[in-house]
Amino acid sequence: METRLFAWWPVKVTSGKHIWLKYYFQHKILYDESTGRPPLHGLHFIWTETAQEKTWRLLRGNMIQNRNVWNDPKLTKQDKI
């Protein structure tokens, strides 16, 4: 679920940036997209992003990773052509 919110007070988004007096997006997902597991604590994962970060994510076409993916087969040398 995606919600568009306005930062009346300074808000720290998931990327670490602080925003203020701007719109940002808050996402709530019920499972970890990289592992397919539900959260251990709470009902959902929450992550936030600015409008520019959302545009960049949609242009790149990648999904958000909640876990470390350094062992993902997509990043290994065998998959490079």
Side-chain angles (χ1 to χ4, degrees):
M1 179 171 80
E2 178 181 297
T3 309
R4 184 177 178 214
L5 301 171
F6 190 79
W8 290 104
W9 295 100
V11 174
K12 187 175 183 180
V13 293
T14 304
S15 64
K17 297 178 184 177
H18 292 279
I19 59 169
W20 189 20
L21 299 176
K22 292 183 180 180
Y23 282 102
Y24 68 99
F25 295 92
Q26 182 181 51
H27 301 271
K28 295 180 183 179
I29 53 176
L30 299 176
Y31 64 96
D32 186 356
E33 294 178 2
S34 61
T35 62
R37 296 182 179 176
L40 296 176
H41 307 287
L43 298 175
H44 47 264
F45 293 107
I46 297 176
W47 56 277
T48 56
E49 64 184 349
T50 63
Q52 292 83 10
E53 291 169 345
K54 180 182 177 185
T55 303
W56 185 247
R57 179 179 54 86
L58 292 174
L59 287 173
R60 288 177 42 198
N62 62 350
M63 65 179 192
I64 297 300
Q65 301 288 341
N66 293 322
R67 306 231 183 253
N68 187 354
V69 294
W70 290 111
N71 295 326
D72 191 4
K74 295 177 187 173
L75 298 176
T76 59
K77 293 180 181 178
Q78 293 85 6
D79 292 337
K80 292 183 181 179
I81 297 175

